[in-house]
Amino acid sequence: MLLIFSCASPKISKTEGERLNIDEKLEPNEAVEAFIKPYREHVNKDMNNIISYAPETYTKSDGDYNTAIGNFMADAVYMEGNPIFNKRTGNNIDFVLLNHGGIRSIISKGDITTKTAFEIMPFENSVVIVELKGEQVNEMMQYLAKAKRAHPVSNQLQLTLDKDGNIVSATIKGEPIDASKTYFVATNDYLFNGGDGMVFFSKNESLHVLNYKIRDVLLDNFKKKDTINPKQDKRFIQLND
């Protein structure tokens, strides 16, 4: 680009430039390619490392209120996050809530690699544990009932709607929600900050940050299983009659 300045003024009086099209005709810089090559090969080798196996293909559209992939993710957060939380605080996570939109890819039938976890969760979202009164948990149940989306919840929560979308029952670890009790709810930092309109998290008693990315949760959980076996179940359902 050529810049021409006026002697009487420091302002730019004229600019000239040339447009460079970036397409298949653009020749690679061999020196840059040679420099990058070992790093690219190292990353690709790690990303293609096989860590588990999927007997079926799982997508976030395979159910109205709960999906196999969503159940897998929520349960993985509980399984991997609860031991850390318990060791630090002496308390246990009561249940997990994630968001349907946060599932960014399918799990394809076949080998599961490191890359799979990055495709499912490309964001840097981390696990947080939020202390909520039962009153706020009831607000959460109303949100889930009205949202009519398969937001992933762990299997400690059981939510049943009637055919009109009204809540028939909502239990945590088999017990009705106590409005005066404090619950420890695991979620991600995006939802804690009000993402997807989940404003009930703002009325919290306390927050515990695990410094544990959701992606790393998935990686750790995949590595513990030779073959994954996620299922749809009755943790969040709507009755037909």
Side-chain angles (χ1 to χ4, degrees):
M1 179 179 288
L2 173 65
L3 302 180
I4 300 177
F5 295 87
S6 168
C7 295
S9 171
K11 295 182 178 180
I12 298 174
S13 59
K14 184 179 181 182
T15 65
E16 293 182 358
E18 180 181 355
R19 179 177 178 177
L20 297 176
N21 292 322
I22 301 177
D23 53 28
E24 67 278 359
K25 297 178 181 179
L26 185 65
E27 295 293 330
N29 185 301
E30 293 185 4
V32 173
E33 285 294 310
F35 179 79
I36 292 175
K37 183 179 178 181
Y39 298 97
R40 180 189 293 119
E41 291 177 346
H42 175 75
V43 170
N44 287 341
K45 181 179 179 181
D46 182 62
M47 293 293 280
N48 293 323
N49 184 37
I50 297 172
I51 54 178
S52 190
Y53 181 82
E56 304 290 342
T57 294
Y58 305 100
T59 81
K60 68 178 183 180
S61 60
D62 65 5
D64 294 329
Y65 289 92
N66 76 88
T67 66
I69 189 173
N71 294 348
F72 173 82
M73 289 181 65
D75 290 345
V77 169
Y78 184 88
M79 292 170 61
E80 305 303 328
N82 192 57
I84 299 172
F85 181 62
N86 179 264
K87 184 176 180 179
R88 292 181 186 177
T89 67
N91 296 307
N92 291 304
I93 295 169
D94 286 297
F95 67 96
V96 178
L97 169 64
L98 303 175
N99 58 315
H100 182 263
I103 306 172
R104 307 303 289 187
S105 180
I106 65 174
I107 298 178
S108 298
K109 179 179 180 179
D111 291 333
I112 294 174
T113 64
T114 301
K115 184 179 179 182
T116 306
F118 277 80
E119 290 173 337
I120 297 170
M121 179 50 64
F123 311 118
E124 298 300 305
N125 297 135
S126 295
V127 180
V128 296
I129 316 298
V130 190
E131 293 187 38
L132 292 178
K133 287 292 188 183
E135 183 179 353
Q136 278 68 58
V137 175
N138 279 325
E139 288 183 22
M140 182 189 299
M141 298 306 106
Q142 292 294 335
Y143 170 93
L144 291 172
K146 292 178 181 177
K148 301 186 185 302
R149 297 190 75 189
H151 290 303
V153 296
S154 62
N155 62 12
Q156 295 77 31
L157 174 67
Q158 301 288 320
L159 179 60
T160 303
L161 311 180
D162 64 20
K163 63 182 179 64
D164 297 317
N166 302 306
I167 295 175
V168 174
S169 68
T171 63
I172 298 171
K173 296 181 177 178
E175 298 292 332
I177 297 168
D178 183 342
S180 63
K181 181 180 176 180
T182 297
Y183 293 89
F184 298 99
V185 184
T187 187
N188 62 52
D189 46 2
Y190 166 73
L191 298 182
F192 171 74
N193 288 308
D196 277 10
M198 297 193 187
V199 294
F200 40 78
F201 282 121
S202 65
K203 303 173 185 177
N204 65 85
E205 301 293 305
S206 186
L207 174 70
H208 304 268
V209 179
L210 295 193
N211 293 315
Y212 196 3
K213 290 183 177 16
I214 302 289
R215 181 191 309 123
D216 292 333
V217 167
L218 296 177
L219 287 169
D220 289 343
N221 200 257
F222 282 141
K223 291 174 182 177
K224 291 179 179 178
K225 300 177 173 68
D226 177 75
T227 301
I228 64 170
N229 188 36
K231 299 288 185 183
Q232 283 182 262
D233 54 30
K234 296 184 179 296
R235 67 187 66 187
F236 183 16
I237 61 172
Q238 184 174 22
L239 303 175
N240 295 322
D241 49 29

